[in-house]
Amino acid sequence: MGPILIFDKSTLQSLNEDEAMWLDNFFLSNITPLFYIETLADLEKEVKTGRTPEQVVGNLASKTPDASSKCNVHHKALIAAELLGQEEIEMIHGRPIISGGRVLDLEGKTGVIFEPSPEEKAFERWQRGEFLQLERFQAKIWRDELSQINFENIYKMFQRFFLIKRPKNFKDVKEFTDLCINNLDREAVLIFGLSLIGVSQESRIVILERYNVAGKPPLYEFAPYFTYVFSVDLFFYLGIAAGLIGRGRPSHKIDLAYLYYLPFCMIFTSNDKLHSSIVPFFLRKNHSYVLGTELKKDLAKLYAYYRKEY
């Protein structure tokens, strides 16, 4: 099993089937829920290549790693489990967090069997050209929600953070984001963070009570994964307010969401310009960011080498 890799849709689209085969051979791919949603959304997309949306999705599914891949648990489920004290989220070693494990006892030994996730089953069907009506409906909902994101309102709302000085680059934005989150009024920052990522009012009451009982520790100690996702979102909104991230592409929110899963890989690869600009600010020391074009070149070299050998 090779290094754990997360790719976005742009990278997989750039690969041919031979290159995708070697990707599956040399890496363990962490398939994020976002990749599934982004691919699903293509069912509602206008296709200018002469192919049907079903053919586009089927082609992408055929290149999606299956022999060496895992589907990560949705980030909202991880945040909820952490904030409610149900689970500690491991963020250091870059391993995917998967669900569906079933404990079994066999001949005096205990093991865990993981059933295929709904996403894995869906990709198997898509490879055969089979799509459920429910999936088409979900695709429509996703694209409708994306079109309703109002970046102009976000731009105006977060202008108030820059009463003294506006960040000039992404390094400034990251430093300002960390400054905001490490504010001395920890409870106020927690309340703001819960609101920003959309935690319900009912859950906020329970979480705040738990936080107070714990003695109001630093947020990165109380809920490190929540704090990380909060910092990604705040960085994004401040970047928009500073005029460093364009307001004309709602799809930027999809691009941003891939960063939620960076703790669960060793390598992240993408051809997206926004990723190239902001991902380096959220990498661990044992993390790597690789351009999708560079990955494609190396996979092509592997294909050529092994083709020559055999």
Side-chain angles (χ1 to χ4, degrees):
M1 180 175 63
I4 298 168
L5 174 85
I6 287 180
F7 52 80
D8 71 343
K9 196 179 74 167
S10 70
T11 297
L12 200 64
Q13 282 178 319
S14 72
L15 305 181
N16 61 39
E17 292 193 359
D18 292 319
E19 292 159 353
M21 177 193 68
W22 290 113
L23 175 72
D24 199 11
N25 185 75
F26 284 103
F27 296 91
L28 173 63
S29 295
N30 183 351
I31 313 291
T32 69
L34 188 65
F35 175 76
Y36 167 81
I37 293 170
E38 202 178 5
T39 302
L40 183 65
D42 279 344
L43 285 174
E44 281 292 314
K45 193 174 183 179
E46 293 183 14
V47 179
K48 300 178 181 179
T49 60
R51 294 183 296 172
T52 66
E54 290 79 6
Q55 288 172 327
V56 172
V57 173
N59 176 261
L60 196 60
S62 71
K63 294 188 289 187
T64 301
D66 54 5
S68 301
S69 66
K70 301 294 180 183
C71 285
N72 208 92
V73 175
H74 198 285
H75 69 276
K76 287 187 178 180
L78 296 177
I79 289 172
E82 181 183 65
L83 287 172
L84 295 173
Q86 299 168 349
E87 198 78 42
E88 290 186 7
I89 309 302
E90 201 281 310
M91 300 174 57
I92 303 300
H93 298 103
R95 291 190 287 259
I97 298 181
I98 58 179
S99 63
R102 187 159 49 92
V103 179
L104 291 178
D105 290 317
L106 181 63
E107 298 180 353
K109 296 183 179 180
T110 301
V112 180
I113 292 180
F114 287 90
E115 302 292 343
S117 69
E119 290 83 1
E120 290 169 323
K121 292 178 180 178
F123 273 110
E124 289 177 2
R125 286 189 289 96
W126 296 354
Q127 290 172 356
R128 301 191 299 268
E130 299 174 7
F131 301 91
L132 301 181
Q133 190 59 40
L134 176 62
E135 290 168 347
R136 299 179 189 277
F137 182 65
Q138 290 173 330
K140 187 177 187 309
I141 290 176
W142 171 250
R143 291 192 68 81
D144 288 346
E145 288 179 350
L146 195 62
S147 67
Q148 292 172 11
I149 297 177
N150 193 324
F151 281 178
E152 289 298 331
N153 285 347
I154 292 172
Y155 175 79
K156 295 174 183 176
M157 185 184 308
F158 282 85
Q159 287 287 306
R160 62 188 176 88
F161 281 79
F162 305 142
L163 296 178
I164 300 176
K165 183 180 179 182
R166 179 191 296 268
K168 295 181 179 179
N169 50 50
F170 285 123
K171 181 176 181 292
D172 290 346
V173 174
K174 185 62 169 66
E175 290 175 352
F176 189 64
T177 298
D178 294 342
L179 183 65
C180 291
I181 291 178
N182 294 322
N183 191 291
L184 293 178
D185 192 345
R186 295 170 179 171
E187 186 170 348
V189 174
L190 175 59
I191 292 171
F192 174 59
L194 294 174
S195 174
L196 192 68
I197 67 173
V199 176
S200 69
Q201 184 61 44
E202 294 79 8
S203 296
R204 288 184 220 174
I205 295 172
V206 176
I207 294 164
L208 286 171
E209 181 178 353
R210 179 172 171 266
Y211 182 65
N212 284 313
V213 170
K216 298 184 178 181
L219 293 187
Y220 62 84
E221 292 180 6
F222 175 69
Y225 183 60
F226 156 78
T227 305
Y228 168 77
V229 173
F230 172 28
S231 73
V232 170
D233 275 353
L234 183 57
F235 176 94
F236 180 66
Y237 295 136
L238 292 174
I240 291 173
L244 298 171
I245 298 176
R247 306 193 293 277
R249 288 187 58 192
S251 61
H252 279 329
K253 190 68 172 81
I254 303 177
D255 301 329
L256 170 87
Y258 275 99
L259 275 68
Y260 300 157
Y261 299 91
L262 287 183
F264 314 125
C265 72
M266 301 169 182
I267 301 169
F268 179 69
T269 179
S270 170
N271 285 316
D272 185 83
K273 290 182 180 179
L274 182 63
H275 284 156
S276 296
S277 298
I278 67 176
V279 165
F281 293 101
F282 292 91
L283 296 177
R284 303 182 307 269
K285 291 182 179 179
N286 58 345
H287 240 161
S288 297
Y289 173 71
V290 178
L291 280 173
T293 52
E294 295 301 315
L295 177 66
K296 178 179 173 65
K297 288 179 184 177
D298 287 340
L299 292 171
K301 290 178 183 177
L302 286 170
Y303 170 67
Y305 173 78
Y306 285 105
R307 185 181 181 186
K308 181 180 179 182
E309 286 291 306
Y310 295 99

